Amino acid sequence: MYTAAVILSVLLALVFLAAGAPKVQLKGPVPEGLIDKGLGSGLVRFVGIAEVAAAVGLGVGIWWQPLGIAAAAGTVVVLVGAISFHVKKGEYGDSATRNAAVTPIVLLPVAVATALTLAASL
């Protein structure tokens, strides 16, 4: 079970680090797109910091599982927030924006599985 927890933690950490770093720096098309959709730059940066912190927590959580479980639970919260944002903006009904909006739906079960496998490996 521990091997699965490590694999899921590393994968989720890499995804969240890659997603959060541009938001923290407010550079690139994703932060600009979020700001264009009505999010303030402070909120975009806050989400980016939360994503980077989750990535660090998942990495450290490989050795200290309680932190990894908390970080995985935090990713679940961030992903639920992202899904609700996409629903509010109507992006699941628009074929032009649907592909990017599906990412949090795909990652949500991975985050839940990460938290559960880390908890089971205690």
Side-chain angles (χ1 to χ4, degrees):
M1 188 62 76
Y2 182 72
T3 303
V6 169
I7 291 169
L8 289 171
S9 294
V10 169
L11 290 174
L12 197 59
L14 290 174
V15 168
F16 266 73
L17 184 61
K23 292 175 190 152
V24 170
Q25 300 170 352
L26 294 177
K27 293 182 180 178
V30 172
E32 292 170 4
L34 291 171
I35 291 169
D36 290 344
K37 291 178 184 174
L39 289 180
S41 60
L43 182 57
V44 172
R45 182 168 276 148
F46 176 77
V47 170
I49 290 169
E51 290 173 343
V52 170
V56 171
L58 286 163
V60 174
I62 292 170
W63 292 277
W64 189 44
Q65 281 89 359
L67 180 61
I69 295 166
T75 63
V76 169
V77 171
V78 170
L79 291 168
V80 168
I83 292 168
S84 66
F85 172 78
H86 291 300
V87 167
K88 182 179 176 182
K89 295 297 179 181
E91 294 180 352
Y92 293 112
D94 183 6
S95 61
T97 58
R98 185 178 308 130
N99 287 341
V102 169
T103 304
I105 292 174
V106 172
L107 290 175
L108 185 59
V110 176
V112 171
T114 302
L116 293 175
T117 56
L118 282 168
S121 68
L122 275 176

